[in-house]
Amino acid sequence: MSRMFVPGPVDVDPDVLEAQAKPMIPHRSKEFDEFFRGTEAKLKKVFLTESRVFQPPATGSGMQEAGIRNLAQKDVLSCVNGAFSERWYKVALSNGKQADRLDAAWGSAILPDQLADALKKKHYEAVTIVHNETSTGVENPLEELAQVVHAVSPDTLILVDAVSSMGGVKIETDAWGLDFVLTSSQKCFAMPPGMSFAAVSDRALKKAETVENRGWYFDLLLLEKHRIKNSTPMTPAISLIWALDAELDKMLAEGMENRYARHIAMAERVQTWAEQHGMPPLAAKSYRSKTVSCIQNLPGIDFADLNAYLMTKDMRMANGYGDLKNKTFRIAHMGETQMHHIDELLEAFETYLQKM
Ligand SMILES: *Cc1c(COP(=O)(O)O)cnc(C)c1O
């Protein structure tokens, strides 16, 4: 077995890798139109939305930029409790927006009361939330946070980065009233990197009409104009669309509820094991990620040595992110990773600990 337990890119199943090898066809063609319409229909089932899902060639960070450029003329509130939520804040600043940050410590969640207070102090056009902070293994309470925004500031748009959770954790885009939900292909979708997907609400598109300088590449109105003709303004990532179709079929065949349950079971297995070995996850129990465990390292474990040992068994994990490097390590359990893979990893880890 060769398996990566790193939070993206994750292992791609052989049939999905092979699907990419199909010949090219012109993207302005009836065959391609039909294919593209089909992948969007399946994506809507994963995103739990009736509105639309864009499938442009870009990574998730590109969609962070798209949300910012299109959905606020000026005032943005960025919830920041890790590296990827901080990136979104920087994206907002670098696109010339007036961005304020609402911080929680790395390892803690953004709490609904905290968000309510910030929204009462100032009016924001948009709020950015990272659902699953891959750098800390924290899942923010997205449904509750969205409820707070709807209650306190109903016209504020809710922008969600679900890069490391969509496709592995249930996110009810329409039912929770989320306006912009983005993800990347290389995390829970278990595809090669290079594509992003974003669900966009009707009211978000209406807002975009009022925002100047949306740019061209990520202009949601231009993307919409082409989406209704089953295409993209730029050349789509055709090989990745072939892979996407294959992966979406796998997801829907497994059943989304089964897929969510599998991710929860893998997270519980890893997190319980880590606690039993004196290495508690960084996050408090009720906010632990279902797709990536960020675990506090034992003082005696040299992460590089541990990972080198795992690599002799064709496995690897990820070190902690930024300041958490060597203090924590991360085990991803997302995409097409199965419980037997987790068992093999923990068995090897156990052997390493015994040899220490
Ligand atoms: C990986 C990740 C990103 C960055 O995505 P790219 O596809 O590399 O641009 C953003 N947000 C989160 C939560 C991530 O896990």
Side-chain angles (χ1 to χ4, degrees), residues 79-93:
C79 300
V80 178
N81 61 335
F84 294 104
S85 43
E86 179 155 55
R87 178 181 299 180
W88 215 351
Y89 167 71
K90 288 180 181 160
V91 166
L93 289 183

Side-chain angles (χ1 to χ4, degrees), residues 65-83:
E65 185 144 302
I68 290 297
R69 291 195 70 112
N70 283 268
L71 303 178
Q73 186 62 43
K74 183 165 159 275
D75 291 309
V76 176
L77 179 65
S78 288
C79 300
V80 178
N81 61 335

Side-chain angles (χ1 to χ4, degrees), residues 7-9 58-64 83-85 87-88 130-135 161-165 182-187 193-196 292 321 330 334:
T59 71
S61 304
M63 286 295 101
Q64 283 191 342
F84 294 104
S85 43
R87 178 181 299 180
W88 215 351
V130 170
H131 176 226
N132 188 72
E133 245 307 347
T134 317
S135 57
D161 170 329
V163 171
S164 59
S165 49
L182 68 98
T183 198
S184 306
S185 54
Q186 77 277 15
K187 308 243 171 135
M195 260 193 104
S196 58
V292 57
Y321 199 104
R330 292 171 301 156
M334 62 172 79

Side-chain angles (χ1 to χ4, degrees), residues 194-205:
M195 260 193 104
S196 58
F197 315 110
V200 183
S201 71
D202 290 339
R203 74 170 188 157
L205 279 192

